[in-house]
Amino acid sequence: MLEGIRVVEYATYMAAPGAGCILRDWGADVVKIEPPGGDPIRLFFRTIGTDYPDNPVFDFDNRGKQSIIIDTSKPEGQALIRELVKDADVFLTNVRPGGLARSGLDYDSLKELNPKLVYCSLSGYGLEGPDADRPGFDIASFWSRTGVANLTIPKGGEPFPLRTAFGDHTTSIAAAAGICAALVEAQRTGKGRLVEASLFRTGLYAMGSDLAIQLFFGRVASTKGRHEQNVPISNFYQSKDDKWFCIVSRQGETDWAPLCRVINKPELATDPRFNNAKGRRANNAEVVNILDAGFGAYDMEELAKRLDAESIAWAPVQTLAEVAKDPQAHAAGAIVQTPSSKGDGTTYASPASPVRFPGADDGPKGPSPAPGEHTRDVLAALGRNAADIDALYQSGVVF
């Protein structure tokens, strides 16, 4: 879909490289500019005391890209980036705004070189306000400051961290969408645009329904335990063989009688304590206890059949090991084969990009690059001759 689109990615870690990987999976050419020593995420496993030939965390966000290492603390390195941007369609960065402005790599500077450039800044908190230049990571900007961490804790509990790059990759999706919208405009008008994505704003959007309630009513309900739910049949339950699953009830009274049949207690369908939403809310703990006992009489395999027979919306609470074997994950194209960076033709399973285009080549376009693997190739494509390129290496501008 994005064949012929040229992206210059000046970014490290996960959120912005994740957006670049989505664009690459969808066909764009992506040149990844890394600092001397490479993107720190290349050291992800070494940091925790192990090392592998492949790095599935780095590879997930960088497969198919070209890598060039530039020392951007040098004016010559900054000039190289400007040279790359002159003919690019997209510039994607998560470098903090102040550093970009000092290097002459801010939007106002680069749009003078390339008026059709789509410039995407992905930051912790956005480009304006007192915290525009504050460093941002997803556990801080997306999870904690947005209220997501606080609201996710059951009442009386303690904060806990989100899983690796969860907020980063949610923001990757947002940034890729914004870039694509701006590309449509640029192709229609010939003029580029600044696209501003942030972990903070994406986190607020992800929690948007609760934030909308807070903004409208001035308050929002806390997250409650299983026995305190306002709608106790929308809840988590456990089978006889200790398998957890969730139920999502539909609006109104649609699901109470079917659930009573699932647990083989049809008489409860007309019990005045439970046969309407108000009664179930008033007796929520008892409803949960009844369903606990009813579901606990059946193994998950049997419960699945009974729930499906009554058209109840439910899903198992799976481990990632179970997800990896889930036939629906593979049927949905959510797991793809990524070429190994060892270069021996082998592949391994990896998460797919978030959107599928049936019939199109929307998967990995190659392995992740070694640090600076394509520096010479990228510079040659700019018209630099071998002597010029050697001089840049010798002066420490590129690696």
Side-chain angles (χ1 to χ4, degrees):
M1 290 67 62
L2 298 180
E3 185 176 348
I5 297 295
R6 287 170 292 182
V7 179
V8 174
E9 176 191 299
Y10 179 35
T12 55
Y13 289 94
M14 294 170 169
C21 183
I22 292 171
L23 301 176
R24 178 63 183 129
D25 277 3
W26 295 350
D29 294 318
V30 180
V31 173
K32 179 182 181 68
I33 299 169
E34 300 189 59
D39 188 328
I41 292 300
R42 290 183 179 276
L43 305 177
F44 183 88
F45 288 100
R46 195 178 306 170
T47 301
I48 59 176
T50 59
D51 207 357
Y52 300 97
D54 289 298
N55 179 340
V57 172
F58 178 82
D59 296 351
F60 171 48
D61 289 326
N62 294 285
R63 59 198 181 205
K65 298 177 183 176
Q66 293 181 295
S67 169
I68 177 172
I69 292 182
I70 301 177
D71 185 349
T72 57
S73 69
K74 299 179 184 295
E76 299 90 342
Q78 298 162 13
L80 274 180
I81 295 181
R82 287 191 284 272
E83 195 171 343
L84 284 167
V85 165
K86 281 182 182 178
D87 294 319
D89 297 288
V90 177
F91 182 69
L92 169 63
T93 185
N94 66 351
V95 177
R96 281 186 273 170
L100 291 165
R102 289 189 295 272
S103 301
L105 300 174
D106 56 306
Y107 174 63
D108 287 337
S109 297
L110 294 189
K111 75 175 181 180
E112 295 300 317
L113 296 174
N114 183 350
K116 70 177 180 61
L117 182 70
V118 171
Y119 184 116
C120 181
S121 167
L122 198 159
S123 63
Y125 298 100
L127 294 175
E128 298 180 21
D131 294 322
D133 223 31
R134 181 185 291 271
F137 287 87
D138 68 344
I139 194 169
S141 311
F142 176 97
W143 183 246
S144 298
R145 189 157 179 182
T146 58
V148 180
N150 182 278
L151 198 58
T152 304
I153 310 165
K155 193 173 182 179
E158 297 180 342
F160 55 88
L162 82 172
R163 299 298 302 190
T164 305
F166 184 93
D168 285 325
H169 289 128
T170 306
T171 308
S172 299
I173 299 170
I179 289 167
C180 287
L183 282 171
V184 171
E185 181 186 39
Q187 291 192 352
R188 188 177 66 245
T189 66
K191 294 182 180 180
R193 176 176 293 279
L194 175 62
V195 177
E196 180 186 341
S198 69
L199 295 162
F200 184 59
R201 180 162 172 162
T202 303
L204 293 175
Y205 181 81
M207 188 57 82
S209 296
D210 281 303
L211 179 58
I213 293 169
Q214 174 69 48
L215 293 171
F216 190 84
F217 292 105
R219 62 186 185 276
V220 67
S222 62
T223 299
K224 298 178 173 64
R226 292 179 58 248
H227 288 78
E228 303 170 310
Q229 294 297 312
N230 291 335
V231 184
I233 60 176
S234 274
N235 216 331
F236 291 87
Y237 292 98
Q238 198 171 23
S239 64
K240 183 179 180 180
D241 51 347
D242 298 325
K243 304 286 188 181
W244 283 99
F245 61 98
C246 77
I247 291 175
V248 184
S249 68
R250 290 163 286 188
Q251 301 300 309
E253 306 303 330
T254 305
D255 288 326
W256 175 243
L259 282 171
C260 292
R261 293 193 292 270
V262 169
I263 65 170
N264 202 27
K265 296 285 185 180
E267 67 277 8
L268 292 176
T270 56
D271 189 314
R273 296 172 297 168
F274 312 127
N275 67 355
N276 60 80
K278 185 176 180 179
R280 290 192 294 275
R281 179 176 180 177
N283 297 283
N284 51 9
E286 189 172 359
V287 171
V288 174
N289 288 335
I290 289 169
L291 291 174
D292 274 344
F295 292 133
Y298 300 96
D299 286 345
M300 193 67 243
E301 184 177 357
E302 175 62 22
L303 266 181
K305 296 175 183 176
R306 297 178 74 89
L307 290 164
D308 287 343
E310 295 290 350
S311 298
I312 301 297
W314 72 279
V317 177
Q318 297 196 129
T319 65
L320 286 185
E322 291 169 326
V323 171
K325 298 177 182 178
D326 190 332
Q328 187 57 42
H330 293 273
I335 296 174
V336 292
Q337 290 297 312
T338 295
S340 169
S341 59
K342 295 192 295 287
D344 59 2
T346 60
T347 63
Y348 64 90
S350 183
S353 296
V355 175
R356 192 179 201 178
F357 299 88
D361 177 10
D362 58 6
K365 299 298 185 291
S368 66
E373 178 181 347
H374 304 96
T375 298
R376 285 189 177 275
D377 293 338
V378 171
L379 294 177
L382 289 176
R384 299 299 182 98
N385 61 38
D388 287 341
I389 295 171
D390 287 341
L392 289 169
Y393 273 99
Q394 290 164 8
S395 62
V397 175
V398 300
F399 296 83

